[in-house]
Amino acid sequence: MFDAFKRKFDATPEGMEERVPPGQYVTQKFPVLHYGETPIYKELEQTWDLRVFGEIEAPKTFSYNEFRALPTVTIENIDIHCVTRWSKLATSWTGVRFRDFLTHIPALKPSAKYVLAHSEGGYTANMPLEIMYDDDVLLAYLYEGEELAPDHGFPLRLFVPKKYFWKSAKWLRGIEFMSADRLGFWERYGYHNNADPWQEERHAD
């Protein structure tokens, strides 16, 4: 009954049915789902930074102002899909394209094959490095032209729209490059490591 109620009020726009993966419903809202408390930041310019480390020639840390000075892109008409079965279509995000970000850090070692995103509160999300080179993978801080809301990851979140949205880690504070894969937070609790919405890779076998 609940699913029927949701579909009644969150109908898929006509002509966009092919953009909705199996088992998903379309919402006009932006539901809030995450583990732990929403962090509250004060004096970002003094207290926030982004650390980059692991299989890289030298670790690097960006202050808030240094990161926000990096060149940005805006990607539009992007669909996002949550493992809890909602999809939101045609969204707009602004941030630093991940592959461009790599030009602002020391060179990756040849052994770098995977990425682990580290967030506030110990949350992590893992991805193969090759996925991170896609055009639509961002270190994002604007949604629909405005700063991310605190519940949606302010001041910075990872954005990997081809995966279920738990991979797009909120409140990003660190990026670790790894030679071997390491399960992230939800993967350790049984979520599927690959997280492809079109294959309905919600949970591990």
Side-chain angles (χ1 to χ4, degrees):
M1 178 179 293
F2 183 56
D3 284 347
F5 176 85
K6 288 188 294 186
R7 289 185 175 89
K8 178 179 179 181
F9 290 97
D10 290 307
T12 303
E14 186 176 354
M16 301 183 77
E17 294 84 358
E18 74 280 358
R19 293 171 63 163
V20 184
Q24 299 289 112
Y25 72 91
V26 173
T27 182
Q28 304 304 316
K29 302 175 182 178
F30 195 168
V32 173
L33 296 163
H34 55 250
Y35 172 81
E37 299 293 326
T38 298
I40 303 298
Y41 296 94
K42 297 181 180 180
E43 299 181 345
L44 277 172
E45 295 176 359
Q46 286 75 44
T47 62
W48 186 94
D49 58 21
L50 179 68
R51 190 164 65 102
V52 185
F53 61 103
E55 297 300 302
I56 185 173
E57 291 299 329
K60 183 174 177 64
T61 299
F62 291 84
S63 69
Y64 178 79
N65 288 336
E66 286 172 337
F67 182 82
R68 291 296 292 254
L70 296 178
T72 63
V73 296
T74 296
I75 57 174
E76 299 179 332
N77 200 27
I78 299 294
D79 306 333
I80 56 178
H81 312 288
C82 182
V83 70
T84 60
R85 299 186 181 275
W86 61 261
S87 291
K88 187 169 178 61
L89 307 184
T91 62
S92 170
W93 298 79
T94 299
V96 181
R97 184 172 275 134
F98 190 84
R99 69 167 184 252
D100 296 338
F101 177 71
L102 297 182
T103 67
H104 298 278
I105 64 174
L108 301 184
K109 295 179 180 180
S111 53
K113 304 296 182 184
Y114 296 89
V115 170
L116 190 69
H118 293 262
S119 299
E120 298 284 6
Y123 184 88
T124 55
N126 60 314
M127 264 81 55
L129 177 59
E130 61 184 3
I131 290 171
M132 307 295 285
Y133 285 95
D134 287 354
D135 287 346
D136 55 7
V137 175
L138 304 180
L139 303 176
Y141 51 83
L142 300 184
Y143 167 71
E144 302 294 345
E146 297 184 356
E147 293 283 344
L148 288 169
D151 281 341
H152 289 301
F154 175 84
L156 185 69
R157 75 178 297 164
L158 185 59
F159 183 69
V160 190
K162 291 185 178 67
K163 301 296 184 181
Y164 281 124
F165 218 41
W166 87 76
K167 294 283 192 179
S168 294
K170 301 178 183 181
W171 311 304
L172 188 66
R173 295 298 303 273
I175 300 170
E176 180 181 1
F177 294 94
M178 307 181 296
S179 60
D181 198 12
R182 190 159 83 242
L183 296 181
F185 178 88
W186 284 118
E187 291 78 12
R188 297 197 302 271
Y189 283 93
Y191 278 41
H192 200 290
N193 199 34
N194 195 39
D196 184 343
W198 292 96
Q199 300 299 320
E200 292 197 82
E201 292 174 335
R202 304 176 192 277
H203 302 101
D205 295 335

